[in-house]
Amino acid sequence: MPMITALAGGVGAARLLTGLAHVVAPEQISAIVNTGDDMVLHGLHISPDIDTLTYSLAGAGNSHTGWGLAGETWHVMDALERYGGETWFRLGDRDLATHLYRTQRLRTGATLTQVTSEIARSWAVSTRLLPMSDDPVRTQITLASGEQVEFQHYFVRLRHDVAVSDVRFTGATEARPTPQALQALNEAETVIICPSNPVVSIGPILAVPSYASVLANRRESVVAVSPIVAGAAIKGPADHMMAELGHEPSVVGVARLYARLAATLLIDESDAALAGQVEACGMRCVVAPAVMSSPALAAGLASRALEAVRSPV
């Protein structure tokens, strides 16, 4: 049974992987998930990207926001607000149980990989969700003002509405990829780089030793899906963050970031005129509908990504 491995983080990855699970058996799919967004708040270990993927693949996610659980309630946050506690990062009542369980298991010596598997299994998620490392890696943002903040402070508290001058992945060079993730990457027939933010969702994964070199060595079987459509991010700050850090906020800028790692870039029809510039970066360019506004469109995009590697043009 051919295996597919994805590099994943955020809502774009959740949508593509949900579509992919309608095209092939979920058991064939592994996702190496960004954990640079992880944080400790209220004494709890929170893994936003892992949880977004888990809930989405379980069919329990909030389709409006892209994160959190559908039908969530907020009694704990409302009570905490009464006391003047920190509520800028909203945790729903049922979502809190996930963080409580994860924190308790980590404190008993379980790895993040083990705990992620346990949580996914409890939600009947068959896709393998693999943290990029069991070692801590934290995305640190330097604002244009010079202030340094953790990623969630930038993304949630400041609503990613401030300019950025630098991004660092603290702990990445010391972190080790897990054996499970490396095996999934090495044994996959096809590797997909999801339409996630190249800087803060895929960037932390590539900063961990071995991942970039493995991708480069098997480049022909790697396809990236652009998160930039018509010069803008579908969701999140990828476009203006790329521009602030000196990258062209277009499919051409995405191609320049991924050219040494992936042989193919899939772009939306609205960017078809830029296909030649993408190919000038050394990548095959595949044009297809890339806005996943429905499950059917997500499944279609996933199919096209697989076809781009299996039958390259």
Side-chain angles (χ1 to χ4, degrees):
M1 184 168 62
M3 302 301 293
I4 301 154
T5 295
L7 272 61
V11 176
R15 288 177 178 167
L16 183 64
L17 288 172
T18 301
L20 188 61
H22 284 88
V23 174
V24 300
E27 295 81 5
Q28 293 179 246
I29 308 166
S30 296
I32 301 172
V33 188
N34 167 43
T35 58
D37 296 4
D38 285 19
M39 65 185 298
V40 174
L41 184 65
H42 311 305
L44 302 176
H45 184 116
I46 301 168
S47 295
D49 280 0
I50 289 173
D51 295 338
T52 292
L53 293 178
T54 301
Y55 299 154
S56 295
L57 289 166
N62 184 327
S63 59
H64 176 67
T65 62
W67 52 266
L69 287 159
E72 186 62 279
T73 56
W74 307 93
H75 300 301
V76 173
M77 288 293 107
D78 291 343
L80 185 59
E81 191 169 34
R82 180 182 301 118
Y83 301 132
E86 286 191 88
T87 58
W88 60 270
F89 193 93
R90 303 282 287 176
L91 299 171
D93 298 326
R94 289 185 296 141
D95 184 39
L96 269 168
T98 301
H99 312 312
L100 286 165
Y101 179 77
R102 178 186 293 116
T103 303
Q104 179 267 326
R105 288 288 290 126
L106 291 173
R107 285 176 179 167
T108 63
T111 66
L112 185 59
T113 297
Q114 291 171 324
V115 180
T116 299
S117 176
E118 292 165 4
I119 293 172
R121 188 164 55 248
S122 76
W123 284 98
V125 172
S126 300
T127 297
R128 294 180 72 208
L129 300 180
L130 302 171
M132 67 187 196
S133 180
D134 288 327
D135 302 318
V137 177
R138 297 295 177 261
T139 299
Q140 301 287 329
I141 306 292
T142 302
L143 307 180
S145 65
E147 181 184 3
Q148 294 187 4
V149 298
E150 293 186 355
F151 176 79
Q152 296 300 340
H153 184 110
Y154 158 78
F155 189 74
V156 178
R157 196 166 199 170
L158 298 176
R159 301 182 181 181
H160 51 80
D161 194 30
V162 291
V164 167
S165 64
D166 190 33
V167 175
R168 292 180 296 109
F169 309 115
T170 303
T173 55
E174 297 81 26
R176 297 158 296 175
T178 67
Q180 297 92 330
L182 280 181
Q183 181 180 21
L185 196 57
N186 280 305
E187 295 182 356
E189 176 191 60
T190 302
V191 176
I192 301 174
I193 301 177
C194 289
S196 307
N197 187 315
V199 179
V200 293
S201 290
I202 302 301
I205 302 174
L206 299 178
V208 174
S210 297
Y211 286 128
S213 60
V214 171
L215 288 171
N217 287 337
R218 56 167 306 161
R219 179 178 178 273
E220 285 300 313
S221 60
V222 182
V223 55
V225 181
S226 175
I228 303 295
V229 173
I234 297 298
K235 193 175 182 68
D239 49 357
H240 64 77
M241 179 174 274
M242 287 176 65
E244 289 157 5
L245 296 175
H247 306 292
E248 182 179 326
S250 71
V251 294
V252 179
V254 174
R256 290 170 182 154
L257 288 170
Y258 288 151
R260 71 184 183 89
L261 307 174
T264 305
L265 181 65
L266 195 155
I267 68 173
D268 185 66
E269 294 168 317
S270 62
D271 289 307
L274 297 175
Q277 293 183 53
V278 169
E279 292 174 348
C281 296
M283 302 183 80
R284 291 188 296 269
C285 187
V286 175
V287 179
V291 179
M292 296 175 285
S293 53
S294 71
L297 288 171
L301 180 61
S303 292
R304 194 66 188 91
L306 294 178
E307 292 167 3
V309 171
R310 294 171 179 170
S311 303
V313 294

